Amino acid sequence: MRRPELAVALIPGGADDSEVVHSCFANDIAAADRWIIEPFVTRSWNGYRVVFPAHRRALGVRLLAVAGGDFAVALDRMLPAEARIDSWAVRVSATQVALAEGSLIEAGGVIDARGAGDLSLLGIGWRTGLTRAVRTPGPHGVAAPVIVDAAVDQRDGCHLVTVLPISADRLHIADSRYQIDRIADRGAHAEGLDAYLAANGWSGAATEWESHGATPVPLDGDFDAYWQSGGAGTAKAGVGAGLFHPATGRMLPDAVRLAAWVADSPPLPGPALHDALHAHALRTWEARRPYRQIAALLFRGAADAERYRIIEHFYRQPTGLIERFHAGRSTPIDRLRILAGRTPFGGKAR
Ligand SMILES: Cc1cc2nc3c(=O)[nH]c(=O)nc-3n(C[C@H](O)[C@H](O)[C@H](O)COP(=O)(O)OP(=O)(O)OC[C@H]3O[C@@H](n4cnc5c(N)ncnc54)[C@H](O)[C@@H]3O)c2cc1C
């Protein structure tokens, strides 16, 4: 949209049929860049709630949600039909993509967004989750999203439920766990969701679809080795470039930031595009070291049943601190306050 003189091609691999809803806070995205995400927004709310066993709070911050299907439809409307090349990439370099069907695309520059590189090169914790879209028999009465409900069984790791009210009788409910040494299976998440639905009087809700996934949360490791493992010399975006929030795993704000940067750059030849995106990703990785320390606390900072208290302590802080954390703009004093309630070796979060 910003650079109509450039020809863009998208090679999406598999069909984008995911209905999963990704959310982020409007304030996580610079006002000047919001035009990039607005056409994809499925729903937004002017506030959200958090629920813990000993603390509840409503925050008046705008939350945006983008559903996979809506994203695909909006993108199709924006891109000329010939821009979408329905194939898989088998080889990718700074200026070429070899397609599964045998043809070769030459380009000024290529950005590889095929997902994670070799995660064994990083110290990783996992956020696993099962998301379910349900239709309740009558109005569910949930007015605002609950982005963290930790008043659930905490015996098996840091266990959170998220509820997004999509319409008067439709909810997206996600059961997620932060675990370092194992990945919760679909069955464990399904039990969590069933228990949550029953506890809220929604057992009669009909499931429309379910999606199970895991997102890596890097705690430490060799960024350059990781970058190279996803393809040396090729520009990257997304999880392959390490571009997601180091504690929550959210990637929408980083994706928008990168898109804005690319739209505003001169047309860089492939190798220069690689160097520029590598420098951007490396700068981001280094600046986020303190966040990785906070994330490590979430994974390793207490016994499983107690880890949710680190998030509870965080949500007792002033709204500005919470917003800056989500947007990746925490001050050193913010970080001290987040860490103050609890050390990896004990202490209370309250
Ligand atoms: C439970 C859960 C909840 C989450 N919630 C949020 C949220 O609310 N907000 C948020 O911002 N993030 C959220 N995330 C994180 C987010 O889902 C990931 O960070 C994101 O999916 C990473 O995006 P990516 O494009 O880098 O990689 P991927 O999602 O892995 O996408 C890679 C893409 O590359 C394509 N591909 C692969 N190989 C090829 C090939 N050879 N040729 C062509 N195409 C190929 C695939 O088809 C796929 O479409 C959540 C994650 C989980 C697990």
Side-chain angles (χ1 to χ4, degrees):
M1 289 166 77
R2 271 271 162 96
R3 306 291 297 279
E5 79 280 11
L6 295 180
V8 177
L10 177 72
I11 305 164
D16 191 351
D17 54 2
S18 156
E19 281 303 323
V20 171
V21 171
H22 284 95
S23 67
C24 71
F25 299 104
N27 292 345
D28 298 353
I29 296 170
D33 297 341
R34 287 203 197 124
W35 64 274
I36 294 176
I37 195 162
E38 290 294 353
F40 301 109
V41 171
T42 302
R43 261 218 76 169
S44 68
W45 302 268
N46 286 326
Y48 67 92
R49 293 191 304 123
V50 292
V51 179
F52 297 90
H55 178 60
R56 284 168 179 255
R57 184 167 174 191
L59 290 105
V61 175
R62 187 165 175 240
L63 184 72
L64 311 176
V66 176
D70 292 343
F71 179 85
V73 168
L75 194 61
D76 271 349
R77 263 204 306 270
M78 285 175 201
L79 281 176
E82 66 278 10
R84 187 181 162 117
I85 300 172
D86 280 311
S87 182
W88 292 84
V90 286
R91 262 188 341 277
V92 177
S93 76
T95 54
Q96 290 184 333
V97 180
L99 299 179
E101 82 226 17
S103 56
L104 187 72
I105 299 176
E106 304 266 2
V110 174
I111 300 177
D112 188 348
R114 286 177 297 168
D118 181 355
L119 291 168
S120 71
L121 295 165
L122 301 175
I124 293 287
W126 290 97
R127 176 183 170 191
T128 61
L130 180 68
T131 305
R132 198 180 274 176
V134 298
R135 193 174 286 279
T136 50
H140 49 63
V142 179
V146 180
I147 67 153
V148 173
D149 189 341
V152 293
D153 184 352
Q154 293 291 341
R155 278 173 300 182
D156 194 25
C158 187
H159 178 196
L160 312 173
V161 176
T162 303
V163 182
L164 298 179
I166 301 297
S167 67
D169 64 350
R170 284 189 77 219
L171 295 168
H172 282 204
I173 305 194
D175 179 277
S176 45
R177 292 166 201 231
Y178 285 76
Q179 292 172 322
I180 200 144
D181 50 356
R182 59 199 182 284
I183 297 187
D185 60 24
R186 193 177 185 122
H189 284 300
E191 273 174 32
L193 281 180
D194 291 341
Y196 194 83
L197 289 166
N200 285 280
W202 299 321
S203 317
T207 299
E208 295 185 329
W209 57 263
E210 270 191 358
S211 170
H212 180 226
T215 198
V217 181
L219 307 175
D220 47 42
D222 180 343
F223 176 80
D224 253 327
Y226 175 70
W227 175 279
Q228 303 294 338
S229 75
T234 313
K236 292 177 215 21
V239 77
L243 291 175
F244 47 88
H245 192 286
T248 65
R250 282 204 175 91
M251 54 77 189
L252 278 175
D254 276 341
V256 170
R257 212 167 291 134
L258 193 74
W261 186 88
V262 171
D264 289 339
S265 302
L268 298 170
L273 184 63
H274 164 268
D275 293 351
L277 292 199
H278 174 262
H280 167 75
L282 181 59
R283 256 194 324 272
T284 307
W285 173 265
E286 284 176 349
R288 289 178 173 173
R289 188 184 308 276
Y291 286 91
R292 289 195 292 280
Q293 285 164 352
I294 293 170
L297 194 63
L298 190 59
F299 284 99
R300 301 177 179 136
D304 271 355
E306 298 292 310
R307 282 192 281 140
Y308 79 88
R309 288 182 189 277
I310 295 160
I311 306 176
E312 184 183 84
H313 170 70
F314 169 73
Y315 277 109
R316 288 176 182 274
Q317 302 298 321
T319 310
L321 179 149
I322 295 168
E323 284 192 58
R324 288 191 293 278
F325 180 84
H326 284 303
R329 293 194 299 265
S330 298
T331 65
I333 291 176
D334 290 346
R335 292 198 289 268
L336 280 177
R337 290 190 68 150
I338 293 168
L339 294 171
R342 187 161 202 96
T343 72
F345 310 105
K348 278 237 178 275
R350 284 179 279 139

